[in-house]
């Protein structure tokens, strides 16, 4: 029901359709509402939850945040995940390039996982301003070794 989905805007909802005819009969109308039918590679199914989990772990350990929002959008055969907190923020470049390990290892791991599935990871933060993590991955475009071939941005 599209009306129910509109009421649940911003909430991740898994919808399972028992009939393939729904996808074929109502495909154009469903696309107008941002509902697409495409497969997600095993690589994306494996790595995306771990990437999001690492982002949430970083917030819990380091951000001193009061609030955290997660948004998931499927559009134009892509999935986009936004994770935003109102914590203390940090200098992204310093955290990634710091020789003081283990600082930045979680961020480096996230970047490596996103790279594995040919996605894009943007981390926007500065001290005192909270943090936003944006993950974007193209779906259903097979690349080498069965990995999704996504946008070629870094």
């Amino acid at each position: 029901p599209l009306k129910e989905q509109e009421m649940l805007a911003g909430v991740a909802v898994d919808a399972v359709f028992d009939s393939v005819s729904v996808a074929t009969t109502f495909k154009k109308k469903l696309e107008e509402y941002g509902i697409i039918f495409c497969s997600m590679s095993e690589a994306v199914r494996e790595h995306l939850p771990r990437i999001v989990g690492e982002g949430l772990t970083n917030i819990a350990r380091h951000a001193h945040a009061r609030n955290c929002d997660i948004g998931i959008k499927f559009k134009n055969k892509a999935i986009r995940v936004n994770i935003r907190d109102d914590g203390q923020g940090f200098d992204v470049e310093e955290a990634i390039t710091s020789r003081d390990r283990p600082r930045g290892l979680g961020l480096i791991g996230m970047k490596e996982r996103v790279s594995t599935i040919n996605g894009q990871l943007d981390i926007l933060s500065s001290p005192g301003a909270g943090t936003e993590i944006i993950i974007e991955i193209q779906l259903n475009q097979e690349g080498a070794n069965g990995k999704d071939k996504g946008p070629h941005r870094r």
Side-chain angles (χ1 to χ4, degrees):
L2 299 176
K3 201 63 161 170
E4 288 177 0
Q5 187 176 7
E6 286 176 352
M7 292 181 347
L8 294 171
V11 177
V13 177
D14 289 328
V16 177
F17 293 85
D18 291 328
S19 172
V20 175
S21 66
V22 171
T24 56
T25 306
F26 301 106
K27 184 176 181 179
K28 288 193 185 295
K29 189 64 173 173
L30 292 170
E31 284 176 354
E32 290 175 21
Y33 289 92
I35 300 170
I36 58 170
F37 292 88
C38 67
S39 63
M40 213 184 284
S41 77
E42 187 174 322
V44 172
R45 285 193 306 267
E46 176 186 336
H47 290 290
L48 188 57
R50 292 173 189 258
I51 295 163
V52 171
E54 182 61 38
L56 295 175
T57 297
N58 286 344
I59 291 168
R61 287 184 182 164
H62 309 294
H64 303 287
R66 289 179 156 197
N67 299 290
C68 174
D69 296 314
I70 301 175
I72 302 171
K73 292 183 182 180
F74 291 90
K75 191 167 184 173
N76 299 327
K77 296 190 178 180
I79 182 170
R80 181 181 175 119
V81 180
N82 287 63
I83 306 169
R84 185 179 314 185
D85 71 56
D86 61 357
Q88 64 186 7
F90 63 99
D91 182 323
V92 177
E93 191 63 29
E94 190 275 326
I96 292 173
T97 60
S98 174
R99 294 176 190 247
D100 180 26
R101 295 289 176 229
R103 182 170 170 81
L105 286 179
L107 299 176
I108 292 168
M110 291 171 67
K111 283 187 169 286
E112 288 173 356
R113 283 188 183 274
V114 170
S115 177
T116 297
I117 51 180
N118 294 318
Q120 178 178 341
L121 173 69
D122 292 313
I123 302 170
L124 311 171
S125 188
S126 61
T131 300
E132 182 174 13
I133 299 168
I134 304 165
I135 305 154
E136 189 168 322
I137 300 162
Q138 295 297 313
L139 302 175
N140 199 28
Q141 294 181 4
E142 291 300 314
N145 301 321
K147 297 175 186 159
D148 281 351
K149 184 179 177 186
H152 297 286
R153 297 174 286 180
R154 299 256 180 219

